[in-house]
Amino acid sequence: NRLLLRLSPQKGHKNGFVGGSLRRQERTHYGRYEATLKAARGEGLVTGFFTYTGPSYGTRHDEIDFEFLGKDTTHVQVAYFTDGDLTEKWIPLGFDAADSFHIYAFEWTSKHIKWFVDGKLIHEVRASDVNLPVTPGRLFANIWAADASVANWAGRTQRNLRAQAEVQCLSFSSLDQTSSRSCSQ
């Protein structure tokens, strides 16, 4: 009924850790993306739920994110990349995302991106105001340890830290599918 994404020390890896990641093989585009998850807590940890495509897939870098920094899991970063350009916003949650499961969702259309927590709209950007991602990508959920290049953002990971994030549900439904299963159903 749930997936554990674990992070553990690993010798021989660039930043000294190996982390769990789930990736959908099929590329998806406009629609509703949902995850029921519990973030990992700990300095230097990042729990993510996002769409991604970029040079490793032969495309430009477009991405839409929910990112939880383990150093303060009472906030979430919502972000998007449009052809490699990052726009981000920090949002207080009113709860600790590492304490219990919550439903995180974003709706992506050609006109807007809307981010939701437990059904409540927390942020929106509109194509009439900004350039939005347009390239279909893959859906991911992961946990990873920050290296020195992003330590000012995520903090420094303790050398022997072990942690886990939990995912109960991960879903995508295109905007024209009215009977698709979602995490909020």
Side-chain angles (χ1 to χ4, degrees), residues 15-111:
N15 75 351
F17 293 91
V18 63
S21 182
L22 176 67
R23 176 187 70 184
R24 183 178 180 166
Q25 279 298 108
E26 180 183 348
R27 292 175 195 231
T28 51
H29 203 206
Y30 299 136
R32 184 173 176 89
Y33 296 78
E34 292 184 342
T36 303
L37 64 85
K38 184 174 7 173
R41 183 182 290 118
E43 186 83 13
L45 293 178
V46 181
T47 304
F49 159 56
F50 56 100
T51 62
Y52 169 80
T53 191
S56 60
Y57 295 115
T59 65
R60 73 183 211 170
H61 180 191
D62 279 4
E63 184 173 338
I64 304 170
D65 298 306
F66 269 100
E67 290 190 301
F68 303 87
L69 301 187
K71 68 181 186 178
D72 180 5
T73 50
T74 65
H75 288 73
V76 67
Q77 176 183 292
V78 296
Y80 62 96
F81 287 82
T82 304
D83 199 13
D85 291 329
L86 170 65
T87 303
E88 62 187 329
K89 182 172 178 84
W90 290 99
I91 298 176
L93 292 169
F95 58 84
D96 191 326
D99 284 345
S100 59
F101 289 96
H102 292 272
I103 300 172
Y104 304 93
F106 58 87
E107 291 179 357
W108 176 28
T109 73
S110 61
K111 297 180 194 257

Side-chain angles (χ1 to χ4, degrees), residues 157-170:
T157 312
Q158 298 299 313
R159 186 180 356 218
N160 293 316
L161 181 67
R162 294 180 181 275
Q164 69 182 30
E166 298 178 61
V167 179
Q168 282 185 330
C169 179
L170 199 58

